[in-house]
């Protein structure tokens, strides 16, 4: 049995430095676009509508009067843009994170639908769009409709772009164009799509367990462990975050609710982004290697159900809380990246409910004990490796937590692990 799914991705191409005339035309187009976007936002907010069709109908006459030479489709895309912005503004407002009364247009990238440039050629006849520049390098020609007529923008395709096209990724409409006034170039964001056939005739069942320090995956015969070092990175970030929070909170009577000053939020975001990038690069590489290996082994992959994150009880201490939260974010992120990578390679992924998978014995199903918590094994440093070692007093099975999770996830997939809903039989053991 096979199953077909669609994956999407965005690739960015930069243009060669453009002539001053072209830059001016693009700048002007963006200005006009911003203006339409502002009008569209106003209309949507005043009339309490976030649907792009209603917005478009509402502003069409006014815009056509004001800019008779403007290609009509900019009104379509600006209305869609406005609709998206209103929707995301409403959700930000709900979370209490909106600092302005109306959505502000900080950056406007030009949204292009298929009529506003030579999309058909991009889709079906891309070879025709290539030509050589003066230095003998291949450029890819985007023809853009503007209020001043059509202009040609030569883009510099890169290795990744060709690789994706060769791998069967198809170019979709809905390009976005961003102007860089500093170096006189534009960036074009190109959405891609690929149909993947997932093979259900697997030869091996693998499961994977993620925690900040290591990724454990394998089956009953073979377990692999990758050290991630993300725990250290997270700890470093947590310490910075705590310092920022201490320094930039308003003083309040209630300790639990200390709102953060604007500056603090900006700093938190900055450090958060930096560490997020490092983390994501690492996770992507791990995911790619694992997906490739599973493909070679003709395996199916079992992971924890992604929705299980964020529902778990969070530890009370603040460091633990942040660490726990970050662990969940990383785990969710990693499993998402991995899932996508696997799909790209045609490896089937099955999500199963993870409850009890790290505390019950994969051998006999009874509760496991954490060795370090028992008096005779008590260690000074709780985070030393043995703390992850679990022991079964009923059958003598022992292994580290992650390996146990891998075994139990496979067993749950095979239907031979206790059901997620059955009540726990706690026997008052210190585990
Ligand atoms: Zn046991």
């Amino acid at each position: 049995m096979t199953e077909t799914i669609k994956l999407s991705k965005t690739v960015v191409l930069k243009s060669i430095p453009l002539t001053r005339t072209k830059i001016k035309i693009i700048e002007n187009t963006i200005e006009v676009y911003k203006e339409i976007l502002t009008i569209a936002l106003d209309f949507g907010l005043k009339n309490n509508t976030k649907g792009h069709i209603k917005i478009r109908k509402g502003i069409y006459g006014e815009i056509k009067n004001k800019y008779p030479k403007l290609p009509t489709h900019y009104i379509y895309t600006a209305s869609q843009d406005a609709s998206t912005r209103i929707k995301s503004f409403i959700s930000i407002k709900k979370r209490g994170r909106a600092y302005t009364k109306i959505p502000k247009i900080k950056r406007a990238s030009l949204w292009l639908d298929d009529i506003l440039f030579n999309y058909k050629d991009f889709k079906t006849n891309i070879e025709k769009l290539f030509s050589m520049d003066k230095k003998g390098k291949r450029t890819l020609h985007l023809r853009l409709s503007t209020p001043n007529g059509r202009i040609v923008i030569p883009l510099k395709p890169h290795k990744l772009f060709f690789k994706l096209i060769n791998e069967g990724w198809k170019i979709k409409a809905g390009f976005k164009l961003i102007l860089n006034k500093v170096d006189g170039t534009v960036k074009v964001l190109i959405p891609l799509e690929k149909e993947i056939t997932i093979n259900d005739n697997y030869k091996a069942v693998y499961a994977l367990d993620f925690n900040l320090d290591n990724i454990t995956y394998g089956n009953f015969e073979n377990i692999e462990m990758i050290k991630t070092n993300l725990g250290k990175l997270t700890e470093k970030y947590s310490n910075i975050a705590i310092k920022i929070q201490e320094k930039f909170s308003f003083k309040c009577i209630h300790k639990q609710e200390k709102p953060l000053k604007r500056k603090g939020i900006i700093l938190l975001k900055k450090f958060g982004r930096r560490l997020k990038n490092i983390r994501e690069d690492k996770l992507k590489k791990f995911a790619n290697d694992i997906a490739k290996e599973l493909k070679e082994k003709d395996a199916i992959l079992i992971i924890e159900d992604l929705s299980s994150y964020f529902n778990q009880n969070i530890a009370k201490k603040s460091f633990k809380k942040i660490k726990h939260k970050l662990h969940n974010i990383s785990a969710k992120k990693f499993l998402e990246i991995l899932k996508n990578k696997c799909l790209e390679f045609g490896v089937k992924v099955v999500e199963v409910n993870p409850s009890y998978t790290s505390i019950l014995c994969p051998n006999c199903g009874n509760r496991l004990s954490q060795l370090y918590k028992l008096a005779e094994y008590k260690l000074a440093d709780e985070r030393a490796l043995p703390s992850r070692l679990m022991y079964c007093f009923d059958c003598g099975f022992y292994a580290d937590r992650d390996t146990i999770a891998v075994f139990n996830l496979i067993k749950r997939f095979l239907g031979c692990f206790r059901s997620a809903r059955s009540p726990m039989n706690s026997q008052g053991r210190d585990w």
Side-chain angles (χ1 to χ4, degrees):
M1 201 183 78
T2 54
E3 186 189 340
T4 310
I5 50 151
K6 270 183 187 167
L7 293 181
S8 52
K9 223 184 206 136
T10 302
V11 66
V12 182
L13 291 188
K14 215 176 151 180
S15 78
I16 61 168
L18 301 172
T19 59
R20 232 180 256 167
T21 323
K22 280 184 190 174
I23 293 290
K24 258 203 168 156
I25 291 174
I26 294 168
E27 229 177 320
N28 174 48
T29 311
I30 291 176
E31 277 312 308
V32 174
Y33 180 82
K34 261 192 185 171
E35 172 115 30
I36 307 171
L37 186 56
T38 313
I39 295 170
L41 278 174
D42 274 356
F43 181 86
L45 293 168
K46 267 182 201 149
N47 295 284
N48 214 359
T49 171
K50 47 190 180 183
H52 66 94
I53 296 172
K54 273 191 187 163
I55 295 176
R56 193 178 73 213
K57 276 185 186 158
I59 63 169
Y60 193 86
E62 182 188 344
I63 307 282
K64 261 296 172 199
N65 258 332
K66 208 167 173 183
Y67 305 105
K69 278 186 184 170
L70 178 87
T72 311
H73 274 259
Y74 280 114
I75 308 175
Y76 293 8
T77 52
S79 304
Q80 270 169 340
D81 197 343
S83 154
T84 314
R85 281 170 197 255
I86 293 173
K87 281 177 198 161
S88 87
F89 182 74
I90 291 171
S91 96
I92 291 170
K93 211 172 170 183
K94 268 188 194 157
R95 283 183 282 147
R97 290 288 187 84
Y99 300 108
T100 50
K101 275 187 184 165
I102 53 161
K104 244 187 173 175
I105 305 170
K106 273 189 220 151
R107 265 190 315 176
S109 51
L110 214 50
W111 278 31
L112 307 174
D113 72 3
D114 50 350
I115 309 294
L116 291 171
F117 66 103
N118 47 340
Y119 170 64
K120 262 192 185 163
D121 290 335
F122 267 91
K123 197 182 167 193
T124 55
N125 203 0
I126 196 161
E127 280 304 319
K128 207 181 100 186
L129 300 178
F130 285 109
S131 71
M132 294 284 181
D133 71 357
K134 285 170 201 160
K135 290 172 190 165
K137 283 202 171 166
R138 286 223 285 178
T139 54
L140 184 61
H141 286 187
L142 180 104
R143 289 190 188 84
L144 177 70
S145 295
T146 74
N148 306 67
R150 285 214 153 192
I151 57 166
V152 174
I153 301 174
L155 301 171
K156 291 190 291 187
H158 42 60
K159 269 187 197 162
L160 175 69
F161 179 77
F162 289 118
K163 190 177 163 240
L164 292 171
I165 299 297
N166 281 335
E167 283 174 359
W169 287 86
K170 296 270 177 282
I171 296 172
K172 276 174 68 184
F175 284 29
K176 278 184 190 172
L177 193 140
I178 300 165
L179 175 65
N180 183 348
K181 277 191 219 167
V182 181
D183 64 0
T185 63
V186 297
K187 261 196 305 193
V188 178
L189 278 55
I190 303 176
L192 302 173
E193 190 178 71
K194 190 183 181 183
E195 270 196 6
I196 309 272
T197 309
I198 304 288
N199 191 357
D200 221 355
N201 296 320
Y202 48 87
K203 289 194 184 113
V205 180
Y206 272 63
L208 179 140
D209 180 76
F210 177 92
N211 75 60
L212 276 183
D213 297 307
N214 44 56
I215 298 168
T216 311
Y217 66 102
N219 53 23
F220 295 120
E221 285 89 47
N222 179 35
I223 292 279
E224 302 274 347
M225 199 179 264
I226 304 174
K227 285 249 168 284
T228 64
N229 288 324
L230 287 174
K232 269 185 202 159
L233 201 73
T234 305
E235 196 165 340
K236 194 174 136 195
Y237 171 66
S238 306
N239 290 335
I240 295 172
I242 287 169
K243 273 184 195 150
I244 292 171
Q245 271 164 343
E246 277 170 2
K247 208 170 167 190
F248 295 100
S249 314
F250 291 107
K251 299 214 165 22
C252 277
I253 310 159
H254 303 294
K255 269 192 175 170
Q256 296 97 325
E257 289 174 40
K258 272 191 179 174
L260 208 56
K261 288 177 188 166
R262 192 78 200 267
K263 175 107 198 256
I265 292 169
I266 292 168
L267 276 174
L268 269 188
K269 271 191 185 160
K270 187 183 148 196
F271 282 101
R273 256 200 308 272
R274 191 176 296 165
L275 279 120
K276 196 179 139 212
N277 287 343
I278 304 174
R279 207 160 53 209
E280 271 187 33
D281 283 350
K282 278 190 162 201
L283 295 181
K284 273 182 192 159
K285 201 189 165 297
F286 295 141
N288 192 60
D289 293 349
I290 293 169
K292 217 171 163 180
E293 190 186 332
L294 292 175
K295 168 79 186 167
E296 280 161 13
K297 289 186 169 147
D298 238 337
I300 180 179
L301 179 68
I302 317 299
I303 55 170
E304 286 185 37
D305 185 356
L306 292 179
S307 58
S308 66
Y309 289 100
F310 297 105
N311 292 332
Q312 297 168 4
N313 293 326
I314 289 172
K316 276 170 198 154
K317 280 182 191 166
S318 73
F319 167 67
K320 274 194 181 163
K321 198 169 162 182
I322 290 168
K323 185 168 173 165
H324 196 92
K325 198 176 153 195
L326 269 163
H327 167 257
N328 276 355
I329 292 169
S330 300
K332 198 176 165 126
K333 184 107 216 166
F334 176 71
L335 292 182
E336 253 161 26
I337 295 171
L338 179 65
K339 213 171 127 184
N340 278 324
K341 265 286 162 225
C342 282
L343 294 178
E344 248 180 68
F345 279 98
V347 173
K348 189 182 167 94
V349 177
V350 179
E351 292 169 64
V352 298
N353 187 317
S355 41
Y356 312 136
T357 49
S358 60
I359 55 167
L360 296 185
C361 174
N363 198 26
C364 69
N366 280 312
R367 260 192 179 170
L368 295 158
S369 302
Q370 251 173 306
L371 276 188
Y372 86 102
K373 281 203 174 168
L374 303 171
E376 58 264 45
Y377 294 99
K378 197 104 187 167
L379 290 157
D381 182 6
E382 281 198 358
R383 284 183 300 164
L385 194 72
S387 73
R388 302 199 67 81
L389 204 63
M390 306 288 277
Y391 185 78
C392 177
F393 280 94
D394 293 290
C395 71
F397 175 90
Y398 67 94
D400 73 86
R401 242 190 140 87
D402 310 310
T403 306
I404 286 163
V406 166
F407 289 164
N408 284 337
L409 287 172
I410 295 178
K411 289 192 91 173
R412 177 151 284 153
F413 165 72
L414 297 173
C416 52
F417 189 66
R418 81 182 292 161
S419 105
R421 278 186 197 159
S422 74
M424 286 297 299
N425 61 335
S426 73
Q427 292 171 1
R429 195 172 275 148
D430 179 23
W431 51 278

